[in-house]
Amino acid sequence: AHLLGDGVPGPLNPKQARLVEIIGGSSDRLLRLVNQILELSRLRAGVLPLARRRVYLARVVTRAVEELRPQAEEAGVALTGERVGQQFACLGDDDRLVQVVVNLVGTAVRFTPRGGAVTVKLIDAGAEVEIQVEDTGAGIPAAALPHIFESYRQAHHDRGGTGLGLAIVGGIVQAHGGRVTAESQEGKGSRFTVLLPRAEATP
């Protein structure tokens, strides 16, 4: 499909080009779904590779926020970051932790109406470091809240998604020796909190 779209076999008329674009988009979505299923299977089997090293979560949060800022601006959602404290280091895989924050922030932006806000807070909580993602969005129904980290479970079926993102978030956080919680009021927004063991200060 990508080769056809690039015109490798020859030029396409507008209708053909549109159909190839649809095929390519559908194939990309299917590939993302397959990769998510594989990743979740690795997490459950305890074989997801993690490049553990000292990670500065302030940099992780900054990377994730900057990656999603264009999406937030397009959606008309204010995306801001806050820090409470000074020590934000943990041991882990920075790319995987960026994935966690990107997933949570991206979900928050998707469920927040135009004019709303998403705030990412980094908090030094003593033995742990907290990453809080709070939004002013649709919220999660009380009956769905206990199940949102389960595979294929979605609080709002009309907003897209595969129902795997939060399950992967939970698996990655657990693989880092941490935990993730969720609080929400329907119609008032949600707050997801990732808690990770803080690395000892370097001498």
Side-chain angles (χ1 to χ4, degrees):
H2 289 281
L3 290 172
L4 288 171
D6 291 339
V8 173
L12 304 174
N13 64 44
K15 184 176 181 180
Q16 291 170 330
R18 177 58 183 153
L19 290 173
V20 168
E21 182 183 349
I22 291 171
I23 292 169
S26 298
S27 300
D28 289 341
R29 282 193 296 275
L30 181 59
L31 179 59
R32 286 195 296 271
L33 176 60
V34 170
N35 286 335
Q36 284 183 317
I37 293 170
L38 291 172
E39 188 157 76
L40 192 57
S41 297
R42 294 188 191 104
L43 282 165
R44 287 176 171 168
V47 296
L48 184 73
L50 294 176
R52 293 185 183 274
R53 53 182 172 269
R54 191 176 185 84
V55 175
Y56 296 94
L57 290 173
R59 297 176 189 170
V60 166
V61 169
T62 297
R63 280 178 58 190
V65 167
E66 290 309 308
E67 180 176 329
L68 288 166
R69 193 171 297 285
Q71 179 182 328
E73 290 176 351
E74 184 178 350
V77 173
L79 177 57
T80 58
E82 299 178 9
R83 297 182 191 176
V84 180
Q86 299 292 328
Q87 301 294 328
F88 304 118
C90 74
L91 295 178
D93 186 315
D94 54 352
D95 287 334
R96 292 294 182 182
L97 292 172
V98 169
Q99 181 183 357
V100 165
V101 182
V102 163
N103 190 300
L104 292 177
V105 175
T107 300
V109 169
R110 193 166 75 247
F111 285 93
T112 299
R114 185 169 294 274
V118 174
T119 304
V120 187
K121 296 181 182 178
L122 190 56
I123 302 171
D124 179 354
E128 295 177 309
V129 180
E130 292 186 15
I131 304 171
Q132 293 184 359
V133 178
E134 189 170 357
D135 65 62
T136 60
I140 300 168
L145 194 57
H147 306 289
I148 56 172
F149 294 107
E150 298 174 9
S151 303
Y152 306 107
R153 298 298 288 265
Q154 292 177 285
H156 301 277
H157 297 283
D158 59 341
R159 302 293 184 97
T162 61
L164 293 172
L166 290 178
I168 291 172
V169 163
I172 293 174
V173 172
Q174 188 174 20
H176 281 81
R179 62 193 192 281
V180 58
T181 64
E183 308 163 68
S184 186
Q185 277 189 284
E186 198 167 4
K188 294 187 177 180
S190 305
R191 178 195 295 145
F192 287 83
T193 302
V194 174
L195 301 103
L196 296 165
R198 187 160 65 86
E200 295 296 327
T202 53

